[in-house]
mmCIF file of all heavy atoms in Angstrom:
data_model
loop_
_atom_site.group_PDB
_atom_site.id
_atom_site.type_symbol
_atom_site.label_atom_id
_atom_site.label_comp_id
_atom_site.label_asym_id
_atom_site.label_seq_id
_atom_site.Cartn_x
_atom_site.Cartn_y
_atom_site.Cartn_z
ATOM 1 N N GLN J 15 103.061 95.388 61.870
ATOM 2 C CA GLN J 15 103.852 94.998 60.702
ATOM 3 C C GLN J 15 105.214 94.431 61.082
ATOM 4 O O GLN J 15 105.802 93.670 60.324
ATOM 5 C CB GLN J 15 104.058 96.213 59.782
ATOM 6 C CG GLN J 15 102.821 96.649 59.019
ATOM 7 C CD GLN J 15 101.836 97.382 59.912
ATOM 8 O OE1 GLN J 15 102.234 98.101 60.839
ATOM 9 N NE2 GLN J 15 100.550 97.192 59.658
ATOM 10 N N GLY J 16 105.741 94.829 62.248
ATOM 11 C CA GLY J 16 107.054 94.333 62.651
ATOM 12 C C GLY J 16 107.739 95.295 63.597
ATOM 13 O O GLY J 16 107.104 96.138 64.233
ATOM 14 N N ILE J 17 109.061 95.168 63.680
ATOM 15 C CA ILE J 17 109.874 95.994 64.569
ATOM 16 C C ILE J 17 110.564 97.084 63.748
ATOM 17 O O ILE J 17 111.416 96.776 62.907
ATOM 18 C CB ILE J 17 110.954 95.154 65.282
ATOM 19 C CG1 ILE J 17 110.331 93.948 65.984
ATOM 20 C CG2 ILE J 17 111.732 96.027 66.267
ATOM 21 C CD1 ILE J 17 109.425 94.316 67.132
ATOM 22 N N PRO J 18 110.219 98.371 63.969
ATOM 23 C CA PRO J 18 110.909 99.454 63.242
ATOM 24 C C PRO J 18 112.320 99.667 63.807
ATOM 25 O O PRO J 18 112.486 99.891 65.002
ATOM 26 C CB PRO J 18 110.039 100.687 63.501
ATOM 27 C CG PRO J 18 108.740 100.158 64.047
ATOM 28 C CD PRO J 18 109.081 98.887 64.757
ATOM 29 N N LEU J 19 113.299 99.540 62.952
ATOM 30 C CA LEU J 19 114.682 99.819 63.324
ATOM 31 C C LEU J 19 115.045 101.137 62.644
ATOM 32 O O LEU J 19 115.264 101.193 61.435
ATOM 33 C CB LEU J 19 115.605 98.700 62.857
ATOM 34 C CG LEU J 19 117.025 98.707 63.436
ATOM 35 C CD1 LEU J 19 116.996 98.437 64.940
ATOM 36 C CD2 LEU J 19 117.889 97.676 62.730
ATOM 37 N N GLU J 20 115.095 102.221 63.444
ATOM 38 C CA GLU J 20 115.234 103.574 62.880
ATOM 39 C C GLU J 20 116.683 104.039 62.870
ATOM 40 O O GLU J 20 117.407 103.875 63.852
ATOM 41 C CB GLU J 20 114.389 104.565 63.669
ATOM 42 C CG GLU J 20 114.387 105.960 63.062
ATOM 43 C CD GLU J 20 113.593 106.950 63.884
ATOM 44 O OE1 GLU J 20 114.091 107.388 64.942
ATOM 45 O OE2 GLU J 20 112.464 107.270 63.479
ATOM 46 N N ILE J 21 117.061 104.618 61.745
ATOM 47 C CA ILE J 21 118.381 105.254 61.611
ATOM 48 C C ILE J 21 118.176 106.743 61.811
ATOM 49 O O ILE J 21 117.392 107.381 61.098
ATOM 50 C CB ILE J 21 119.017 104.971 60.243
ATOM 51 C CG1 ILE J 21 119.529 103.521 60.161
ATOM 52 C CG2 ILE J 21 120.170 105.920 59.975
ATOM 53 C CD1 ILE J 21 118.474 102.513 59.858
ATOM 54 N N TYR J 22 118.867 107.302 62.781
ATOM 55 C CA TYR J 22 118.790 108.739 63.075
ATOM 56 C C TYR J 22 120.202 109.293 62.985
ATOM 57 O O TYR J 22 121.042 109.060 63.861
ATOM 58 C CB TYR J 22 118.214 108.968 64.478
ATOM 59 C CG TYR J 22 117.785 110.391 64.756
ATOM 60 C CD1 TYR J 22 116.442 110.748 64.720
ATOM 61 C CD2 TYR J 22 118.714 111.379 65.052
ATOM 62 C CE1 TYR J 22 116.034 112.053 64.977
ATOM 63 C CE2 TYR J 22 118.322 112.681 65.301
ATOM 64 C CZ TYR J 22 116.985 113.014 65.267
ATOM 65 O OH TYR J 22 116.576 114.308 65.518
ATOM 66 N N ALA J 23 120.466 110.020 61.901
ATOM 67 C CA ALA J 23 121.816 110.554 61.667
ATOM 68 C C ALA J 23 121.700 111.807 60.815
ATOM 69 O O ALA J 23 120.600 112.239 60.436
ATOM 70 C CB ALA J 23 122.680 109.495 60.992
ATOM 71 N N PHE J 24 122.849 112.410 60.497
ATOM 72 C CA PHE J 24 122.879 113.638 59.704
ATOM 73 C C PHE J 24 123.913 113.505 58.598
ATOM 74 O O PHE J 24 125.056 113.112 58.851
ATOM 75 C CB PHE J 24 123.231 114.846 60.582
ATOM 76 C CG PHE J 24 122.138 115.239 61.537
ATOM 77 C CD1 PHE J 24 121.993 114.578 62.752
ATOM 78 C CD2 PHE J 24 121.254 116.250 61.213
ATOM 79 C CE1 PHE J 24 120.984 114.928 63.633
ATOM 80 C CE2 PHE J 24 120.236 116.615 62.086
ATOM 81 C CZ PHE J 24 120.096 115.956 63.295
ATOM 82 N N SER J 25 123.477 113.815 57.385
ATOM 83 C CA SER J 25 124.417 113.797 56.263
ATOM 84 C C SER J 25 125.231 115.078 56.260
ATOM 85 O O SER J 25 124.715 116.157 56.569
ATOM 86 C CB SER J 25 123.667 113.649 54.933
ATOM 87 O OG SER J 25 122.917 114.820 54.657
ATOM 88 N N SER J 26 126.502 114.987 55.911
ATOM 89 C CA SER J 26 127.362 116.167 55.877
ATOM 90 C C SER J 26 126.967 117.116 54.750
ATOM 91 O O SER J 26 127.053 118.329 54.890
ATOM 92 C CB SER J 26 128.824 115.750 55.703
ATOM 93 O OG SER J 26 129.244 114.926 56.771
ATOM 94 N N ASP J 27 126.527 116.558 53.651
ATOM 95 C CA ASP J 27 126.115 117.367 52.500
ATOM 96 C C ASP J 27 124.625 117.673 52.627
ATOM 97 O O ASP J 27 123.796 116.768 52.701
ATOM 98 C CB ASP J 27 126.401 116.607 51.201
ATOM 99 C CG ASP J 27 126.403 117.519 49.991
ATOM 100 O OD1 ASP J 27 125.624 118.485 49.973
ATOM 101 O OD2 ASP J 27 127.187 117.267 49.057
ATOM 102 N N LYS J 28 124.282 118.980 52.637
ATOM 103 C CA LYS J 28 122.885 119.375 52.851
ATOM 104 C C LYS J 28 122.136 119.650 51.559
ATOM 105 O O LYS J 28 120.933 119.903 51.587
ATOM 106 C CB LYS J 28 122.853 120.636 53.733
ATOM 107 C CG LYS J 28 123.376 120.393 55.139
ATOM 108 C CD LYS J 28 123.636 121.690 55.866
ATOM 109 C CE LYS J 28 124.899 122.339 55.366
ATOM 110 N NZ LYS J 28 125.279 123.537 56.129
ATOM 111 N N ARG J 29 122.825 119.604 50.433
ATOM 112 C CA ARG J 29 122.153 119.834 49.154
ATOM 113 C C ARG J 29 121.165 118.705 48.872
ATOM 114 O O ARG J 29 121.491 117.540 49.077
ATOM 115 C CB ARG J 29 123.173 119.960 48.034
ATOM 116 C CG ARG J 29 124.016 121.237 48.122
ATOM 117 C CD ARG J 29 125.152 121.215 47.141
ATOM 118 N NE ARG J 29 126.136 120.182 47.465
ATOM 119 C CZ ARG J 29 127.222 119.947 46.758
ATOM 120 N NH1 ARG J 29 127.482 120.682 45.676
ATOM 121 N NH2 ARG J 29 128.065 118.990 47.107
ATOM 122 N N TRP J 30 120.014 119.073 48.380
ATOM 123 C CA TRP J 30 118.901 118.126 48.263
ATOM 124 C C TRP J 30 119.287 116.893 47.455
ATOM 125 O O TRP J 30 119.075 115.757 47.886
ATOM 126 C CB TRP J 30 117.696 118.837 47.638
ATOM 127 C CG TRP J 30 116.432 118.020 47.651
ATOM 128 C CD1 TRP J 30 116.193 116.899 48.389
ATOM 129 C CD2 TRP J 30 115.252 118.265 46.900
ATOM 130 N NE1 TRP J 30 114.928 116.417 48.154
ATOM 131 C CE2 TRP J 30 114.334 117.246 47.238
ATOM 132 C CE3 TRP J 30 114.872 119.236 45.983
ATOM 133 C CZ2 TRP J 30 113.050 117.190 46.677
ATOM 134 C CZ3 TRP J 30 113.600 119.183 45.439
ATOM 135 C CH2 TRP J 30 112.702 118.174 45.779
ATOM 136 N N GLU J 31 119.840 117.109 46.251
ATOM 137 C CA GLU J 31 120.162 115.965 45.391
ATOM 138 C C GLU J 31 121.175 115.040 46.060
ATOM 139 O O GLU J 31 121.005 113.808 46.062
ATOM 140 C CB GLU J 31 120.724 116.454 44.043
ATOM 141 C CG GLU J 31 119.776 117.329 43.247
ATOM 142 C CD GLU J 31 119.944 118.797 43.567
ATOM 143 O OE1 GLU J 31 120.503 119.107 44.650
ATOM 144 O OE2 GLU J 31 119.532 119.630 42.742
ATOM 145 N N ASN J 32 122.214 115.625 46.648
ATOM 146 C CA ASN J 32 123.248 114.812 47.298
ATOM 147 C C ASN J 32 122.725 114.132 48.552
ATOM 148 O O ASN J 32 123.089 112.992 48.855
ATOM 149 C CB ASN J 32 124.456 115.679 47.637
ATOM 150 C CG ASN J 32 125.135 116.229 46.400
ATOM 151 O OD1 ASN J 32 124.804 115.852 45.290
ATOM 152 N ND2 ASN J 32 126.076 117.130 46.581
ATOM 153 N N TYR J 33 121.874 114.853 49.276
ATOM 154 C CA TYR J 33 121.265 114.282 50.486
ATOM 155 C C TYR J 33 120.442 113.044 50.144
ATOM 156 O O TYR J 33 120.541 112.003 50.810
ATOM 157 C CB TYR J 33 120.396 115.345 51.151
ATOM 158 C CG TYR J 33 119.401 114.807 52.153
ATOM 159 C CD1 TYR J 33 119.797 114.421 53.438
ATOM 160 C CD2 TYR J 33 118.051 114.697 51.814
ATOM 161 C CE1 TYR J 33 118.879 113.932 54.348
ATOM 162 C CE2 TYR J 33 117.129 114.211 52.725
ATOM 163 C CZ TYR J 33 117.546 113.834 53.985
ATOM 164 O OH TYR J 33 116.626 113.348 54.885
ATOM 165 N N GLU J 34 119.631 113.126 49.105
ATOM 166 C CA GLU J 34 118.822 111.973 48.698
ATOM 167 C C GLU J 34 119.696 110.824 48.238
ATOM 168 O O GLU J 34 119.394 109.649 48.506
ATOM 169 C CB GLU J 34 117.854 112.396 47.576
ATOM 170 C CG GLU J 34 116.762 113.368 47.997
ATOM 171 C CD GLU J 34 115.741 112.741 48.931
ATOM 172 O OE1 GLU J 34 115.707 111.487 49.026
ATOM 173 O OE2 GLU J 34 114.965 113.495 49.561
ATOM 174 N N TYR J 35 120.786 111.148 47.552
ATOM 175 C CA TYR J 35 121.696 110.090 47.087
ATOM 176 C C TYR J 35 122.351 109.390 48.274
ATOM 177 O O TYR J 35 122.450 108.154 48.306
ATOM 178 C CB TYR J 35 122.766 110.697 46.173
ATOM 179 C CG TYR J 35 123.796 109.701 45.719
ATOM 180 C CD1 TYR J 35 123.557 108.881 44.617
ATOM 181 C CD2 TYR J 35 125.005 109.562 46.400
ATOM 182 C CE1 TYR J 35 124.489 107.945 44.206
ATOM 183 C CE2 TYR J 35 125.943 108.631 45.996
ATOM 184 C CZ TYR J 35 125.687 107.833 44.900
ATOM 185 O OH TYR J 35 126.611 106.914 44.493
ATOM 186 N N ILE J 36 122.806 110.169 49.250
ATOM 187 C CA ILE J 36 123.464 109.590 50.433
ATOM 188 C C ILE J 36 122.501 108.677 51.186
ATOM 189 O O ILE J 36 122.851 107.549 51.575
ATOM 190 C CB ILE J 36 123.987 110.710 51.356
ATOM 191 C CG1 ILE J 36 125.137 111.463 50.678
ATOM 192 C CG2 ILE J 36 124.441 110.148 52.705
ATOM 193 C CD1 ILE J 36 125.489 112.765 51.352
ATOM 194 N N MET J 37 121.276 109.162 51.393
ATOM 195 C CA MET J 37 120.298 108.373 52.136
ATOM 196 C C MET J 37 119.951 107.084 51.380
ATOM 197 O O MET J 37 119.857 106.000 51.982
ATOM 198 C CB MET J 37 119.031 109.200 52.381
ATOM 199 C CG MET J 37 118.002 108.513 53.262
ATOM 200 S SD MET J 37 116.782 109.666 53.940
ATOM 201 C CE MET J 37 116.157 110.432 52.455
ATOM 202 N N ALA J 38 119.790 107.184 50.075
ATOM 203 C CA ALA J 38 119.498 105.990 49.272
ATOM 204 C C ALA J 38 120.672 105.009 49.302
ATOM 205 O O ALA J 38 120.473 103.784 49.387
ATOM 206 C CB ALA J 38 119.182 106.397 47.834
ATOM 207 N N ASP J 39 121.898 105.536 49.251
ATOM 208 C CA ASP J 39 123.077 104.684 49.282
ATOM 209 C C ASP J 39 123.151 103.902 50.599
ATOM 210 O O ASP J 39 123.470 102.702 50.601
ATOM 211 C CB ASP J 39 124.326 105.552 49.118
ATOM 212 C CG ASP J 39 125.602 104.731 49.154
ATOM 213 O OD1 ASP J 39 125.840 103.974 48.202
ATOM 214 O OD2 ASP J 39 126.343 104.847 50.150
#
């Protein structure tokens, strides 16, 4: 399909809702 460019990092906020928002942002 192509070249996977992976982001490997950690969000400071571990709460599920905030974590999903940060990742989507």
Side-chain angles (χ1 to χ4, degrees):
Q15 288 75 34
I17 307 294
L19 193 66
E20 185 182 76
I21 286 81
Y22 194 102
F24 289 83
S25 68
S26 300
D27 197 326
K28 295 167 285 186
R29 291 171 293 179
W30 188 15
E31 300 90 340
N32 296 352
Y33 163 77
E34 292 291 345
Y35 176 84
I36 292 166
M37 186 162 55
D39 179 69

